[in-house]
């Protein structure tokens, strides 16, 4: 990807982009990140007349134009889900919290993430249209103060498929409804054994989001973000789309992609990491990452322990045996 700012207008910039296929784009990027016109000479103008890969090249060019404006000017023209500097700062702010401080902000989020388990009641009830193991995302906006410490977090918002199969959102209370958040967590049902490990998971999730900002703009991420797992939900859908061939399955923890690896261990060290990779490669929840994560916690959905709970029990038993001896 290559770009050059050709001019500055009353409301933004005119950016020339050459995508990874060599196609030239002329894109208007407003100061607030909105697109103001897009001309290109390599693909059909009507999206319905493009292949999936061609449409992705167009989308990448737009994201890269925003990225280039950020690199070359004082503006940060990103939405919360792609806010590169904001996500970095939020990641660091969460990483710097004590477990007690983290819990004061994210205890409800922890319960919500665990709510696929039968013994956990979600703080925000699931809509009736969402089946067990169905698609549902928990969105939490994080706001930083002038010192890049956490100022506030929103209530848990929901994104899911309605009765017609259309993606919809339920927005709950937000401390600053007229202000853009610095980052937006996009969490999902998962088994995480403790608040301390959940803090590690949220930090890891933000690393995956940062990976997706770069990949979505047609760039190879810096080494520290070459990790596997779910980050940006929109990009996860594109990775999962078989018609789009320009991406690898970066969202899959078990994916075999040179230079990328799973670096979250569920609090169980290498044993937890390898157990997840092996289970998913053997087909647990095949084709459905939501179902896979749920079954790792409780595969039969009947209250019995799942794979990760079993590992947790074994490790606790080993610790007890060592204490007694």
């Amino acid at each position: 990807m290559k770009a050059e700012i050709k001019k500055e207008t009353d409301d933004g910039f005119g950016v020339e982009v050459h995508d990874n296929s060599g196609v030239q784009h002329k894109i208007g990027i407003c100061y607030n990140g909105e697109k103001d016109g897009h001309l290109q000479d390599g693909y059909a103008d009507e999206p319905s007349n493009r292949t999936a890969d061609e449409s992705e090249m167009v989308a990448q060019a737009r994201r890269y134009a925003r990225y280039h404006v950020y690199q070359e000017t004082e503006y940060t023209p990103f939405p919360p889900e792609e806010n590169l500097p904001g996500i970095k700062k939020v990641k660091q702010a969460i990483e710097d919290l004590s477990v007690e401080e983290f819990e004061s902000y994210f205890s409800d989020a922890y319960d919500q993430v665990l709510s696929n388990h039968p013994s956990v009641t979600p703080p925000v009830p699931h809509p009736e249209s969402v089946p067990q193991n169905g698609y549902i995302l928990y969105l939490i906006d994080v706001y930083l103060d002038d010192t890049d410490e956490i100022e506030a977090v929103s209530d848990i918002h929901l994104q899911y498929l309605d009765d017609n199969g259309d993606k919809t959102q339920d927005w709950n209370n937000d401390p600053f409804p007229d202000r853009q958040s610095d980052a937006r967590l996009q969490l999902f049902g998962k088994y995480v054994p403790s608040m301390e490990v959940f803090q590690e998971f949220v930090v890891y999730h933000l690393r995956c989001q940062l990976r997706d900002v770069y990949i979505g703009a047609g760039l190879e991420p810096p080494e520290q973000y070459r990790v596997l797992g779910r980050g940006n939900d929109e990009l996860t859908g594109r990775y999962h789309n078989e018609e789009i061939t320009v991406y690898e399955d970066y969202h899959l923890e078990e994916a075999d992609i040179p230079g990328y690896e799973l670096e979250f261990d569920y609090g169980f060290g290498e044993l937890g990491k390898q157990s997840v990779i092996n289970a998913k490669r053997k087909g647990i929840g095949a084709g459905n990452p939501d179902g896979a994560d749920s079954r790792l916690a409780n595969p039969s959905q009947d209250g019995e322990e799942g794979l990760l709970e079993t590992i947790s029990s074994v490790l606790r038993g080993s610790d007890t045996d060592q204490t007694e001896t």
Side-chain angles (χ1 to χ4, degrees):
M1 305 291 285
K2 297 180 181 179
E4 181 181 355
I5 294 175
K6 289 295 188 179
K7 63 180 179 179
E8 184 171 4
T9 65
D10 291 338
D11 60 356
F13 300 92
V15 185
E16 182 177 288
V17 175
H18 288 81
D19 68 26
N20 286 330
S21 295
V23 173
Q24 181 187 70
H25 304 253
K26 295 180 179 180
I27 305 171
I29 299 294
C30 297
Y31 295 129
N32 64 2
E34 293 292 322
K35 174 180 67 69
D36 183 17
H38 185 163
L39 301 174
Q40 47 78 29
D41 59 7
Y43 313 114
D45 290 329
E46 287 296 324
S48 60
N49 294 328
R50 301 183 203 132
T51 68
D53 282 349
E54 288 172 342
S55 289
E56 197 55 36
M57 290 295 99
V58 171
Q60 282 189 2
R62 293 172 182 171
R63 295 192 200 101
Y64 187 76
R66 285 201 300 259
Y67 174 80
H68 187 72
V69 168
Y70 161 68
Q71 291 284 85
E72 299 295 325
T73 75
E74 62 188 272
Y75 296 96
T76 54
F78 299 111
E81 299 89 346
E82 301 174 20
N83 184 7
L84 187 65
I87 298 171
K88 288 180 179 179
K89 291 175 182 178
V90 168
K91 171 186 166 296
Q92 189 61 55
I94 292 176
E95 201 166 5
D96 289 344
L97 295 174
S98 68
V99 175
E100 292 74 21
E101 290 169 332
F102 175 79
E103 184 173 10
S104 71
Y105 290 112
F106 297 105
S107 59
D108 280 353
Y110 182 46
D111 289 340
Q112 194 77 35
V113 164
L114 288 178
S115 63
N116 274 344
H117 196 285
S119 66
V120 179
T121 300
V124 180
H126 289 186
E128 293 183 0
S129 63
V130 179
Q132 185 74 41
N133 299 334
Y135 170 83
I136 186 166
L137 206 64
Y138 313 126
L139 309 176
I140 301 165
D141 283 336
V142 182
Y143 298 86
L144 302 179
D145 60 22
D146 293 337
T147 64
D148 291 337
E149 295 182 343
I150 293 179
E151 181 176 2
V153 300
S154 72
D155 286 355
I156 300 167
H157 314 302
L158 302 182
Q159 180 170 294
Y160 58 95
L161 301 181
D162 63 17
D163 290 328
N164 297 319
D166 297 323
K167 191 173 289 188
T168 189
Q169 295 175 333
D170 289 345
W171 292 96
N172 294 306
N173 291 332
D174 194 303
F176 305 112
D178 298 323
R179 172 179 155 191
Q180 179 171 297
S181 62
D182 292 277
R184 176 170 293 159
L185 305 184
Q186 303 175 61
L187 303 174
F188 44 92
K190 203 169 190 70
Y191 178 71
V192 186
S194 69
M195 188 66 66
E196 181 178 7
V197 177
F198 183 54
Q199 182 176 5
E200 296 172 3
F201 170 68
V202 171
V203 170
Y204 186 75
H205 166 66
L206 290 170
R207 287 176 69 192
C208 293
Q209 283 198 20
L210 289 165
R211 173 205 66 207
D212 292 341
V213 172
Y214 289 100
I215 290 175
L219 299 170
E220 181 74 4
E223 185 174 357
Q224 65 266 38
Y225 306 132
R226 294 175 195 169
V227 291
L228 298 173
R230 291 170 65 181
N232 181 300
D233 184 66
E234 180 184 352
L235 266 294
T236 292
R238 293 173 188 270
Y239 303 154
H240 192 60
N241 187 336
E242 294 182 354
E243 294 184 358
I244 299 176
T245 65
V246 297
Y247 298 127
E248 302 283 354
D249 289 328
Y250 302 102
H251 63 298
L252 297 179
E253 294 178 329
E254 73 276 20
D256 184 8
I257 303 173
Y260 291 76
E261 63 179 311
L262 174 64
E263 293 187 5
F264 177 64
D265 63 11
Y266 291 84
F268 305 132
E270 192 64 22
L271 174 62
K273 187 193 306 184
Q274 291 303 320
S275 296
V276 169
I277 292 172
N278 292 338
K280 289 189 174 183
R281 284 181 178 173
K282 289 178 180 177
I284 185 171
N288 180 0
D290 296 287
D293 284 312
S294 180
R295 288 178 174 83
L296 286 170
N298 178 28
S300 63
Q301 299 301 313
D302 62 1
E304 297 296 324
E305 289 185 343
L307 171 65
L308 292 173
E309 287 184 288
T310 301
I311 294 172
S312 181
S313 298
V314 169
L315 292 178
R316 287 197 301 269
S318 298
D319 291 341
T320 302
D321 293 342
Q322 291 174 6
T323 302
E324 290 177 349
T325 56

